[in-house]
Amino acid sequence: MSVPEKSDRPLRVCSFESRRGPEMKSLIERHGGIATIAPSMREIPLDDSSDAFAFARELFDQKINVIVFMTGVGATALVDALETRYSRPEIFAALERAIIVVRGPKPTAVLRGWGVRIDFRAPEPNTWREVLGLFDASIPLKDRRVAVQEYGQPSVELYREFEARGASVLPVTVYRWALPLDIEPLKTAIQQTISGEHDVLMFTSAQQLVNVFEVAEQIGLRDAWLDAVNRKCVVASIGPTATAALKAGGLRVDVEPSHPNMGALVKETLVKAGSILNDRS
């Protein structure tokens, strides 16, 4: 029996999503794909909450003029750390004495759930550049103290631009990224990609590629995986930050959705991927 053309069978999609893996699997299947979820990362709250408490001291002393929340999980981790010393009403009241900026929908949802006022929200695609553009358009920075809740790694470019505009920056680190406790699904996904068992790879963060490379290196398959991806797979990236990291890592990015969310990523990728694969065959 002949093997059907790629366009005649469901697309086999591998996602490296972790925390929202079940949601991603459901989305892929609802749009007609066959889903493989290979969790690639986990977020670990820091044992040392010194950054959070340094932030709290300045916050309660009203030395912070602006607070930027970059992620929902980071906002949650920050308040969880502060709750070991302060009550939630105290924390929320102190937050609202500053200008509150959110980077995207996830921190927006968290702060709204708390009932905390949001003053500004960066537009799509919610990168540090949109955050900076928001400040340039609406929030003077000269002589202001800006606290930034980091999201796993420092936003070095953003801090540099803030400081160039006369602000002082207080980075607030509350969690870091690590590999999953169980990396066997990730190993298997890497091996399956090399053997041609995936048509599409989906990345929802830049850090996912870092961790995929780390595991591929551990099993001696980094170069083979990268070669297989570029020859055999459609690569989909959720937005500009992830796209830049993928390209810097040597991957060709085929699809970036019109909106930087999982629903648009899955829908638009599965619409386009068959044609992309057929054009290459």
mmCIF file of all heavy atoms in Angstrom, residues 162-214:
data_model
loop_
_atom_site.group_PDB
_atom_site.id
_atom_site.type_symbol
_atom_site.label_atom_id
_atom_site.label_comp_id
_atom_site.label_asym_id
_atom_site.label_seq_id
_atom_site.Cartn_x
_atom_site.Cartn_y
_atom_site.Cartn_z
ATOM 1 N N PHE A 162 15.218 51.795 29.239
ATOM 2 C CA PHE A 162 14.663 52.564 30.361
ATOM 3 C C PHE A 162 15.709 53.520 30.935
ATOM 4 O O PHE A 162 15.441 54.697 31.192
ATOM 5 C CB PHE A 162 14.188 51.621 31.469
ATOM 6 C CG PHE A 162 12.829 50.997 31.231
ATOM 7 C CD1 PHE A 162 12.366 49.995 32.071
ATOM 8 C CD2 PHE A 162 12.005 51.418 30.203
ATOM 9 C CE1 PHE A 162 11.117 49.427 31.884
ATOM 10 C CE2 PHE A 162 10.756 50.852 29.999
ATOM 11 C CZ PHE A 162 10.315 49.850 30.843
ATOM 12 N N GLU A 163 16.902 52.983 31.165
ATOM 13 C CA GLU A 163 17.963 53.800 31.761
ATOM 14 C C GLU A 163 18.392 54.925 30.824
ATOM 15 O O GLU A 163 18.708 56.036 31.276
ATOM 16 C CB GLU A 163 19.139 52.909 32.149
ATOM 17 C CG GLU A 163 18.806 52.010 33.345
ATOM 18 C CD GLU A 163 19.810 50.902 33.572
ATOM 19 O OE1 GLU A 163 20.709 50.717 32.701
ATOM 20 O OE2 GLU A 163 19.700 50.205 34.592
ATOM 21 N N ALA A 164 18.388 54.662 29.524
ATOM 22 C CA ALA A 164 18.731 55.709 28.551
ATOM 23 C C ALA A 164 17.728 56.855 28.580
ATOM 24 O O ALA A 164 18.050 57.984 28.211
ATOM 25 C CB ALA A 164 18.798 55.108 27.147
ATOM 26 N N ARG A 165 16.516 56.559 29.057
ATOM 27 C CA ARG A 165 15.478 57.587 29.141
ATOM 28 C C ARG A 165 15.398 58.209 30.536
ATOM 29 O O ARG A 165 14.460 58.938 30.834
ATOM 30 C CB ARG A 165 14.125 56.976 28.743
ATOM 31 C CG ARG A 165 14.024 56.676 27.237
ATOM 32 C CD ARG A 165 12.952 55.634 26.954
ATOM 33 N NE ARG A 165 12.751 55.433 25.514
ATOM 34 C CZ ARG A 165 13.569 54.749 24.722
ATOM 35 N NH1 ARG A 165 14.686 54.213 25.230
ATOM 36 N NH2 ARG A 165 13.310 54.600 23.430
ATOM 37 N N GLY A 166 16.369 57.904 31.362
ATOM 38 C CA GLY A 166 16.469 58.572 32.656
ATOM 39 C C GLY A 166 15.870 57.853 33.833
ATOM 40 O O GLY A 166 15.815 58.399 34.946
ATOM 41 N N ALA A 167 15.408 56.606 33.652
ATOM 42 C CA ALA A 167 14.830 55.846 34.758
ATOM 43 C C ALA A 167 15.894 55.028 35.465
ATOM 44 O O ALA A 167 16.956 54.728 34.906
ATOM 45 C CB ALA A 167 13.741 54.919 34.242
ATOM 46 N N SER A 168 15.617 54.663 36.712
ATOM 47 C CA SER A 168 16.400 53.635 37.388
ATOM 48 C C SER A 168 15.542 52.382 37.459
ATOM 49 O O SER A 168 14.318 52.465 37.626
ATOM 50 C CB SER A 168 16.812 54.075 38.794
ATOM 51 O OG SER A 168 15.677 54.249 39.626
ATOM 52 N N VAL A 169 16.160 51.215 37.298
ATOM 53 C CA VAL A 169 15.422 49.961 37.155
ATOM 54 C C VAL A 169 15.707 49.044 38.324
ATOM 55 O O VAL A 169 16.865 48.865 38.732
ATOM 56 C CB VAL A 169 15.799 49.252 35.836
ATOM 57 C CG1 VAL A 169 15.047 47.925 35.703
ATOM 58 C CG2 VAL A 169 15.492 50.154 34.642
ATOM 59 N N LEU A 170 14.642 48.448 38.863
ATOM 60 C CA LEU A 170 14.757 47.418 39.894
ATOM 61 C C LEU A 170 14.237 46.106 39.317
ATOM 62 O O LEU A 170 13.032 45.874 39.270
ATOM 63 C CB LEU A 170 13.945 47.798 41.134
ATOM 64 C CG LEU A 170 13.915 46.738 42.245
ATOM 65 C CD1 LEU A 170 15.305 46.542 42.845
ATOM 66 C CD2 LEU A 170 12.899 47.117 43.327
ATOM 67 N N PRO A 171 15.125 45.207 38.854
ATOM 68 C CA PRO A 171 14.663 43.899 38.380
ATOM 69 C C PRO A 171 14.197 43.065 39.576
ATOM 70 O O PRO A 171 14.828 43.073 40.636
ATOM 71 C CB PRO A 171 15.912 43.283 37.745
ATOM 72 C CG PRO A 171 16.880 44.424 37.573
ATOM 73 C CD PRO A 171 16.576 45.375 38.676
ATOM 74 N N VAL A 172 13.091 42.356 39.398
ATOM 75 C CA VAL A 172 12.552 41.516 40.471
ATOM 76 C C VAL A 172 12.451 40.088 39.932
ATOM 77 O O VAL A 172 11.559 39.754 39.152
ATOM 78 C CB VAL A 172 11.172 42.007 40.936
ATOM 79 C CG1 VAL A 172 10.699 41.187 42.146
ATOM 80 C CG2 VAL A 172 11.202 43.496 41.281
ATOM 81 N N THR A 173 13.389 39.256 40.340
ATOM 82 C CA THR A 173 13.432 37.869 39.876
ATOM 83 C C THR A 173 12.752 36.976 40.896
ATOM 84 O O THR A 173 13.135 36.970 42.070
ATOM 85 C CB THR A 173 14.891 37.403 39.685
ATOM 86 O OG1 THR A 173 15.552 38.307 38.798
ATOM 87 C CG2 THR A 173 14.947 36.005 39.107
ATOM 88 N N VAL A 174 11.735 36.215 40.460
ATOM 89 C CA VAL A 174 11.000 35.376 41.405
ATOM 90 C C VAL A 174 10.967 33.907 40.988
ATOM 91 O O VAL A 174 10.566 33.055 41.772
ATOM 92 C CB VAL A 174 9.555 35.894 41.591
ATOM 93 C CG1 VAL A 174 9.552 37.189 42.372
ATOM 94 C CG2 VAL A 174 8.839 36.068 40.253
ATOM 95 N N TYR A 175 11.369 33.608 39.763
ATOM 96 C CA TYR A 175 11.444 32.200 39.361
ATOM 97 C C TYR A 175 12.472 32.042 38.255
ATOM 98 O O TYR A 175 12.917 33.011 37.658
ATOM 99 C CB TYR A 175 10.075 31.660 38.909
ATOM 100 C CG TYR A 175 9.541 32.218 37.607
ATOM 101 C CD1 TYR A 175 9.757 31.565 36.402
ATOM 102 C CD2 TYR A 175 8.783 33.383 37.588
ATOM 103 C CE1 TYR A 175 9.257 32.057 35.214
ATOM 104 C CE2 TYR A 175 8.262 33.886 36.408
ATOM 105 C CZ TYR A 175 8.502 33.222 35.218
ATOM 106 O OH TYR A 175 8.004 33.719 34.042
ATOM 107 N N ARG A 176 12.831 30.789 38.009
ATOM 108 C CA ARG A 176 13.766 30.477 36.937
ATOM 109 C C ARG A 176 13.219 29.297 36.143
ATOM 110 O O ARG A 176 12.341 28.567 36.609
ATOM 111 C CB ARG A 176 15.162 30.150 37.491
ATOM 112 C CG ARG A 176 15.208 28.903 38.363
ATOM 113 C CD ARG A 176 16.599 28.650 38.891
ATOM 114 N NE ARG A 176 16.646 27.505 39.789
ATOM 115 C CZ ARG A 176 16.788 26.238 39.397
ATOM 116 N NH1 ARG A 176 16.892 25.967 38.098
ATOM 117 N NH2 ARG A 176 16.814 25.254 40.265
ATOM 118 N N TRP A 177 13.770 29.094 34.961
ATOM 119 C CA TRP A 177 13.363 27.978 34.129
ATOM 120 C C TRP A 177 14.303 26.798 34.324
ATOM 121 O O TRP A 177 15.509 26.962 34.514
ATOM 122 C CB TRP A 177 13.379 28.371 32.662
ATOM 123 C CG TRP A 177 12.232 29.237 32.261
ATOM 124 C CD1 TRP A 177 10.913 29.058 32.541
ATOM 125 C CD2 TRP A 177 12.312 30.424 31.482
ATOM 126 N NE1 TRP A 177 10.164 30.055 31.991
ATOM 127 C CE2 TRP A 177 10.983 30.912 31.333
ATOM 128 C CE3 TRP A 177 13.353 31.137 30.895
ATOM 129 C CZ2 TRP A 177 10.686 32.060 30.616
ATOM 130 C CZ3 TRP A 177 13.056 32.282 30.181
ATOM 131 C CH2 TRP A 177 11.745 32.735 30.045
ATOM 132 N N ALA A 178 13.747 25.597 34.239
ATOM 133 C CA ALA A 178 14.537 24.375 34.331
ATOM 134 C C ALA A 178 13.924 23.332 33.400
ATOM 135 O O ALA A 178 12.812 23.513 32.883
ATOM 136 C CB ALA A 178 14.561 23.861 35.766
ATOM 137 N N LEU A 179 14.645 22.233 33.219
ATOM 138 C CA LEU A 179 14.090 21.116 32.461
ATOM 139 C C LEU A 179 12.972 20.453 33.258
ATOM 140 O O LEU A 179 12.940 20.543 34.489
ATOM 141 C CB LEU A 179 15.183 20.089 32.178
ATOM 142 C CG LEU A 179 16.259 20.471 31.160
ATOM 143 C CD1 LEU A 179 17.354 19.421 31.137
ATOM 144 C CD2 LEU A 179 15.657 20.635 29.762
ATOM 145 N N PRO A 180 12.067 19.768 32.584
ATOM 146 C CA PRO A 180 11.057 18.994 33.318
ATOM 147 C C PRO A 180 11.730 17.931 34.185
ATOM 148 O O PRO A 180 12.854 17.499 33.901
ATOM 149 C CB PRO A 180 10.226 18.335 32.208
ATOM 150 C CG PRO A 180 10.539 19.093 30.973
ATOM 151 C CD PRO A 180 11.925 19.628 31.123
ATOM 152 N N LEU A 181 11.033 17.492 35.215
ATOM 153 C CA LEU A 181 11.562 16.410 36.043
ATOM 154 C C LEU A 181 11.712 15.131 35.226
ATOM 155 O O LEU A 181 12.665 14.374 35.408
ATOM 156 C CB LEU A 181 10.643 16.170 37.244
ATOM 157 C CG LEU A 181 10.601 17.297 38.281
ATOM 158 C CD1 LEU A 181 9.537 17.022 39.334
ATOM 159 C CD2 LEU A 181 11.964 17.488 38.932
ATOM 160 N N ASP A 182 10.777 14.894 34.311
ATOM 161 C CA ASP A 182 10.831 13.730 33.432
ATOM 162 C C ASP A 182 11.128 14.216 32.016
ATOM 163 O O ASP A 182 10.281 14.840 31.367
ATOM 164 C CB ASP A 182 9.491 12.981 33.468
ATOM 165 C CG ASP A 182 9.474 11.759 32.552
ATOM 166 O OD1 ASP A 182 10.549 11.377 32.032
ATOM 167 O OD2 ASP A 182 8.382 11.184 32.351
ATOM 168 N N ILE A 183 12.331 13.934 31.533
ATOM 169 C CA ILE A 183 12.703 14.390 30.190
ATOM 170 C C ILE A 183 12.547 13.297 29.130
ATOM 171 O O ILE A 183 12.884 13.518 27.966
ATOM 172 C CB ILE A 183 14.145 14.950 30.153
ATOM 173 C CG1 ILE A 183 15.179 13.868 30.497
ATOM 174 C CG2 ILE A 183 14.272 16.159 31.068
ATOM 175 C CD1 ILE A 183 16.611 14.329 30.279
ATOM 176 N N GLU A 184 12.020 12.138 29.516
ATOM 177 C CA GLU A 184 11.877 11.052 28.543
ATOM 178 C C GLU A 184 10.946 11.434 27.384
ATOM 179 O O GLU A 184 11.265 11.129 26.224
ATOM 180 C CB GLU A 184 11.397 9.764 29.229
ATOM 181 C CG GLU A 184 12.440 9.129 30.143
ATOM 182 C CD GLU A 184 13.766 8.877 29.436
ATOM 183 O OE1 GLU A 184 13.737 8.351 28.296
ATOM 184 O OE2 GLU A 184 14.811 9.202 30.016
ATOM 185 N N PRO A 185 9.797 12.084 27.630
ATOM 186 C CA PRO A 185 8.973 12.490 26.477
ATOM 187 C C PRO A 185 9.704 13.436 25.527
ATOM 188 O O PRO A 185 9.512 13.366 24.309
ATOM 189 C CB PRO A 185 7.772 13.186 27.136
ATOM 190 C CG PRO A 185 7.679 12.569 28.494
ATOM 191 C CD PRO A 185 9.106 12.345 28.913
ATOM 192 N N LEU A 186 10.555 14.278 26.070
ATOM 193 C CA LEU A 186 11.310 15.205 25.226
ATOM 194 C C LEU A 186 12.363 14.450 24.414
ATOM 195 O O LEU A 186 12.546 14.704 23.217
ATOM 196 C CB LEU A 186 11.965 16.276 26.100
ATOM 197 C CG LEU A 186 12.578 17.483 25.395
ATOM 198 C CD1 LEU A 186 11.613 18.113 24.408
ATOM 199 C CD2 LEU A 186 13.023 18.511 26.434
ATOM 200 N N LYS A 187 13.037 13.501 25.046
ATOM 201 C CA LYS A 187 13.994 12.656 24.312
ATOM 202 C C LYS A 187 13.297 11.928 23.164
ATOM 203 O O LYS A 187 13.796 11.879 22.031
ATOM 204 C CB LYS A 187 14.640 11.635 25.246
ATOM 205 C CG LYS A 187 15.622 12.190 26.243
ATOM 206 C CD LYS A 187 16.188 11.039 27.083
ATOM 207 C CE LYS A 187 17.188 11.514 28.110
ATOM 208 N NZ LYS A 187 17.693 10.385 28.952
ATOM 209 N N THR A 188 12.147 11.353 23.472
ATOM 210 C CA THR A 188 11.399 10.604 22.455
ATOM 211 C C THR A 188 10.988 11.507 21.308
ATOM 212 O O THR A 188 11.102 11.133 20.129
ATOM 213 C CB THR A 188 10.162 9.950 23.088
ATOM 214 O OG1 THR A 188 10.578 9.050 24.111
ATOM 215 C CG2 THR A 188 9.349 9.193 22.047
ATOM 216 N N ALA A 189 10.524 12.720 21.622
ATOM 217 C CA ALA A 189 10.106 13.659 20.569
ATOM 218 C C ALA A 189 11.278 14.031 19.672
ATOM 219 O O ALA A 189 11.123 14.165 18.451
ATOM 220 C CB ALA A 189 9.496 14.901 21.196
ATOM 221 N N ILE A 190 12.450 14.212 20.255
ATOM 222 C CA ILE A 190 13.651 14.530 19.464
ATOM 223 C C ILE A 190 13.962 13.383 18.511
ATOM 224 O O ILE A 190 14.213 13.586 17.312
ATOM 225 C CB ILE A 190 14.838 14.818 20.407
ATOM 226 C CG1 ILE A 190 14.604 16.154 21.140
ATOM 227 C CG2 ILE A 190 16.158 14.838 19.628
ATOM 228 C CD1 ILE A 190 15.534 16.370 22.316
ATOM 229 N N GLN A 191 13.932 12.152 19.025
ATOM 230 C CA GLN A 191 14.214 10.977 18.198
ATOM 231 C C GLN A 191 13.155 10.794 17.111
ATOM 232 O O GLN A 191 13.474 10.461 15.965
ATOM 233 C CB GLN A 191 14.299 9.738 19.094
ATOM 234 C CG GLN A 191 15.507 9.772 20.024
ATOM 235 C CD GLN A 191 15.380 8.830 21.214
ATOM 236 O OE1 GLN A 191 14.284 8.342 21.526
ATOM 237 N NE2 GLN A 191 16.494 8.562 21.889
ATOM 238 N N GLN A 192 11.882 11.049 17.454
ATOM 239 C CA GLN A 192 10.804 10.913 16.469
ATOM 240 C C GLN A 192 10.948 11.948 15.354
ATOM 241 O O GLN A 192 10.652 11.660 14.192
ATOM 242 C CB GLN A 192 9.446 11.074 17.158
ATOM 243 C CG GLN A 192 9.059 9.903 18.041
ATOM 244 C CD GLN A 192 7.789 10.172 18.840
ATOM 245 O OE1 GLN A 192 7.439 11.328 19.088
ATOM 246 N NE2 GLN A 192 7.102 9.114 19.228
ATOM 247 N N THR A 193 11.384 13.148 15.703
ATOM 248 C CA THR A 193 11.582 14.177 14.679
ATOM 249 C C THR A 193 12.650 13.731 13.687
ATOM 250 O O THR A 193 12.492 13.883 12.469
ATOM 251 C CB THR A 193 11.983 15.505 15.333
ATOM 252 O OG1 THR A 193 10.963 15.912 16.239
ATOM 253 C CG2 THR A 193 12.174 16.595 14.281
ATOM 254 N N ILE A 194 13.727 13.183 14.201
ATOM 255 C CA ILE A 194 14.815 12.718 13.332
ATOM 256 C C ILE A 194 14.340 11.599 12.412
ATOM 257 O O ILE A 194 14.720 11.545 11.229
ATOM 258 C CB ILE A 194 16.015 12.258 14.191
ATOM 259 C CG1 ILE A 194 16.620 13.473 14.913
ATOM 260 C CG2 ILE A 194 17.069 11.564 13.331
ATOM 261 C CD1 ILE A 194 17.625 13.105 15.976
ATOM 262 N N SER A 195 13.459 10.736 12.920
ATOM 263 C CA SER A 195 12.977 9.617 12.099
ATOM 264 C C SER A 195 11.787 9.992 11.223
ATOM 265 O O SER A 195 11.222 9.130 10.548
ATOM 266 C CB SER A 195 12.605 8.430 12.998
ATOM 267 O OG SER A 195 11.567 8.769 13.893
ATOM 268 N N GLY A 196 11.400 11.272 11.229
ATOM 269 C CA GLY A 196 10.369 11.746 10.322
ATOM 270 C C GLY A 196 8.941 11.532 10.789
ATOM 271 O O GLY A 196 8.016 11.506 9.977
ATOM 272 N N GLU A 197 8.742 11.416 12.087
ATOM 273 C CA GLU A 197 7.401 11.127 12.614
ATOM 274 C C GLU A 197 6.593 12.377 12.960
ATOM 275 O O GLU A 197 5.450 12.274 13.403
ATOM 276 C CB GLU A 197 7.518 10.218 13.842
ATOM 277 C CG GLU A 197 8.107 8.854 13.532
ATOM 278 C CD GLU A 197 8.268 7.988 14.763
ATOM 279 O OE1 GLU A 197 7.312 7.893 15.556
ATOM 280 O OE2 GLU A 197 9.365 7.405 14.933
ATOM 281 N N HIS A 198 7.187 13.563 12.790
ATOM 282 C CA HIS A 198 6.458 14.804 13.034
ATOM 283 C C HIS A 198 6.495 15.667 11.777
ATOM 284 O O HIS A 198 7.543 15.819 11.149
ATOM 285 C CB HIS A 198 7.083 15.588 14.193
ATOM 286 C CG HIS A 198 7.028 14.875 15.500
ATOM 287 N ND1 HIS A 198 8.071 14.868 16.397
ATOM 288 C CD2 HIS A 198 6.050 14.127 16.064
ATOM 289 C CE1 HIS A 198 7.740 14.145 17.456
ATOM 290 N NE2 HIS A 198 6.526 13.684 17.274
ATOM 291 N N ASP A 199 5.351 16.220 11.448
ATOM 292 C CA ASP A 199 5.272 17.151 10.314
ATOM 293 C C ASP A 199 5.471 18.594 10.755
ATOM 294 O O ASP A 199 5.982 19.421 9.997
ATOM 295 C CB ASP A 199 3.894 17.051 9.640
ATOM 296 C CG ASP A 199 3.578 15.654 9.155
ATOM 297 O OD1 ASP A 199 4.424 15.073 8.446
ATOM 298 O OD2 ASP A 199 2.489 15.151 9.490
ATOM 299 N N VAL A 200 5.029 18.908 11.977
ATOM 300 C CA VAL A 200 5.022 20.277 12.480
ATOM 301 C C VAL A 200 5.603 20.309 13.883
ATOM 302 O O VAL A 200 5.287 19.449 14.718
ATOM 303 C CB VAL A 200 3.576 20.839 12.527
ATOM 304 C CG1 VAL A 200 3.577 22.257 13.090
ATOM 305 C CG2 VAL A 200 2.919 20.799 11.155
ATOM 306 N N LEU A 201 6.456 21.292 14.144
ATOM 307 C CA LEU A 201 6.930 21.560 15.498
ATOM 308 C C LEU A 201 6.413 22.933 15.906
ATOM 309 O O LEU A 201 6.551 23.901 15.157
ATOM 310 C CB LEU A 201 8.454 21.548 15.580
ATOM 311 C CG LEU A 201 9.179 20.263 15.182
ATOM 312 C CD1 LEU A 201 10.676 20.411 15.456
ATOM 313 C CD2 LEU A 201 8.628 19.041 15.888
ATOM 314 N N MET A 202 5.842 23.013 17.122
ATOM 315 C CA MET A 202 5.298 24.278 17.615
ATOM 316 C C MET A 202 6.049 24.737 18.854
ATOM 317 O O MET A 202 6.213 23.978 19.805
ATOM 318 C CB MET A 202 3.816 24.121 17.968
ATOM 319 C CG MET A 202 2.912 24.079 16.786
ATOM 320 S SD MET A 202 1.165 24.119 17.294
ATOM 321 C CE MET A 202 0.404 24.146 15.670
ATOM 322 N N PHE A 203 6.463 26.003 18.819
ATOM 323 C CA PHE A 203 7.171 26.613 19.951
ATOM 324 C C PHE A 203 6.336 27.774 20.485
ATOM 325 O O PHE A 203 5.959 28.668 19.728
ATOM 326 C CB PHE A 203 8.540 27.119 19.505
ATOM 327 C CG PHE A 203 9.508 26.023 19.137
ATOM 328 C CD1 PHE A 203 9.524 25.517 17.837
ATOM 329 C CD2 PHE A 203 10.385 25.513 20.074
ATOM 330 C CE1 PHE A 203 10.412 24.510 17.494
ATOM 331 C CE2 PHE A 203 11.275 24.501 19.739
ATOM 332 C CZ PHE A 203 11.287 23.991 18.449
ATOM 333 N N THR A 204 6.101 27.760 21.792
ATOM 334 C CA THR A 204 5.335 28.842 22.417
ATOM 335 C C THR A 204 6.196 29.715 23.318
ATOM 336 O O THR A 204 5.679 30.623 23.969
ATOM 337 C CB THR A 204 4.152 28.272 23.216
ATOM 338 O OG1 THR A 204 4.616 27.246 24.110
ATOM 339 C CG2 THR A 204 3.104 27.676 22.281
ATOM 340 N N SER A 205 7.498 29.471 23.351
ATOM 341 C CA SER A 205 8.420 30.378 24.045
ATOM 342 C C SER A 205 9.830 30.149 23.533
ATOM 343 O O SER A 205 10.159 29.055 23.034
ATOM 344 C CB SER A 205 8.374 30.188 25.567
ATOM 345 O OG SER A 205 9.211 29.130 25.963
ATOM 346 N N ALA A 206 10.653 31.174 23.692
ATOM 347 C CA ALA A 206 12.053 31.057 23.266
ATOM 348 C C ALA A 206 12.798 30.031 24.103
ATOM 349 O O ALA A 206 13.671 29.308 23.601
ATOM 350 C CB ALA A 206 12.730 32.424 23.373
ATOM 351 N N GLN A 207 12.474 29.940 25.391
ATOM 352 C CA GLN A 207 13.189 29.031 26.286
ATOM 353 C C GLN A 207 13.000 27.568 25.895
ATOM 354 O O GLN A 207 13.860 26.739 26.178
ATOM 355 C CB GLN A 207 12.715 29.242 27.730
ATOM 356 C CG GLN A 207 13.463 28.418 28.775
ATOM 357 C CD GLN A 207 14.923 28.802 28.925
ATOM 358 O OE1 GLN A 207 15.300 29.939 28.637
ATOM 359 N NE2 GLN A 207 15.741 27.859 29.374
ATOM 360 N N GLN A 208 11.900 27.257 25.240
ATOM 361 C CA GLN A 208 11.683 25.865 24.834
ATOM 362 C C GLN A 208 12.812 25.355 23.951
ATOM 363 O O GLN A 208 13.276 24.224 24.110
ATOM 364 C CB GLN A 208 10.335 25.737 24.126
ATOM 365 C CG GLN A 208 9.148 25.893 25.062
ATOM 366 C CD GLN A 208 7.825 25.953 24.339
ATOM 367 O OE1 GLN A 208 7.776 25.913 23.096
ATOM 368 N NE2 GLN A 208 6.739 26.058 25.087
ATOM 369 N N LEU A 209 13.267 26.176 23.010
ATOM 370 C CA LEU A 209 14.354 25.737 22.142
ATOM 371 C C LEU A 209 15.633 25.523 22.933
ATOM 372 O O LEU A 209 16.370 24.561 22.691
ATOM 373 C CB LEU A 209 14.601 26.744 21.024
ATOM 374 C CG LEU A 209 15.741 26.367 20.063
ATOM 375 C CD1 LEU A 209 15.423 25.076 19.334
ATOM 376 C CD2 LEU A 209 16.031 27.492 19.085
ATOM 377 N N VAL A 210 15.926 26.397 23.882
ATOM 378 C CA VAL A 210 17.112 26.233 24.727
ATOM 379 C C VAL A 210 17.097 24.861 25.388
ATOM 380 O O VAL A 210 18.101 24.127 25.401
ATOM 381 C CB VAL A 210 17.181 27.338 25.799
ATOM 382 C CG1 VAL A 210 18.340 27.095 26.755
ATOM 383 C CG2 VAL A 210 17.309 28.714 25.141
ATOM 384 N N ASN A 211 15.945 24.475 25.927
ATOM 385 C CA ASN A 211 15.854 23.209 26.637
ATOM 386 C C ASN A 211 15.850 22.008 25.698
ATOM 387 O O ASN A 211 16.416 20.960 26.018
ATOM 388 C CB ASN A 211 14.612 23.201 27.530
ATOM 389 C CG ASN A 211 14.771 24.118 28.729
ATOM 390 O OD1 ASN A 211 15.734 24.868 28.826
ATOM 391 N ND2 ASN A 211 13.828 24.070 29.646
ATOM 392 N N VAL A 212 15.226 22.163 24.531
ATOM 393 C CA VAL A 212 15.298 21.092 23.532
ATOM 394 C C VAL A 212 16.746 20.854 23.122
ATOM 395 O O VAL A 212 17.220 19.710 23.055
ATOM 396 C CB VAL A 212 14.423 21.418 22.309
ATOM 397 C CG1 VAL A 212 14.681 20.406 21.184
ATOM 398 C CG2 VAL A 212 12.945 21.411 22.681
ATOM 399 N N PHE A 213 17.472 21.929 22.852
ATOM 400 C CA PHE A 213 18.885 21.793 22.499
ATOM 401 C C PHE A 213 19.670 21.112 23.629
ATOM 402 O O PHE A 213 20.554 20.280 23.375
ATOM 403 C CB PHE A 213 19.488 23.160 22.204
ATOM 404 C CG PHE A 213 19.341 23.620 20.775
ATOM 405 C CD1 PHE A 213 19.356 24.968 20.462
ATOM 406 C CD2 PHE A 213 19.215 22.709 19.732
ATOM 407 C CE1 PHE A 213 19.241 25.405 19.155
ATOM 408 C CE2 PHE A 213 19.102 23.136 18.419
ATOM 409 C CZ PHE A 213 19.102 24.487 18.126
ATOM 410 N N GLU A 214 19.378 21.476 24.863
ATOM 411 C CA GLU A 214 20.113 20.892 25.988
ATOM 412 C C GLU A 214 19.918 19.377 26.055
ATOM 413 O O GLU A 214 20.882 18.619 26.229
ATOM 414 C CB GLU A 214 19.667 21.529 27.304
ATOM 415 C CG GLU A 214 20.425 20.995 28.516
ATOM 416 C CD GLU A 214 20.059 21.699 29.813
ATOM 417 O OE1 GLU A 214 19.502 22.813 29.766
ATOM 418 O OE2 GLU A 214 20.328 21.114 30.881
#
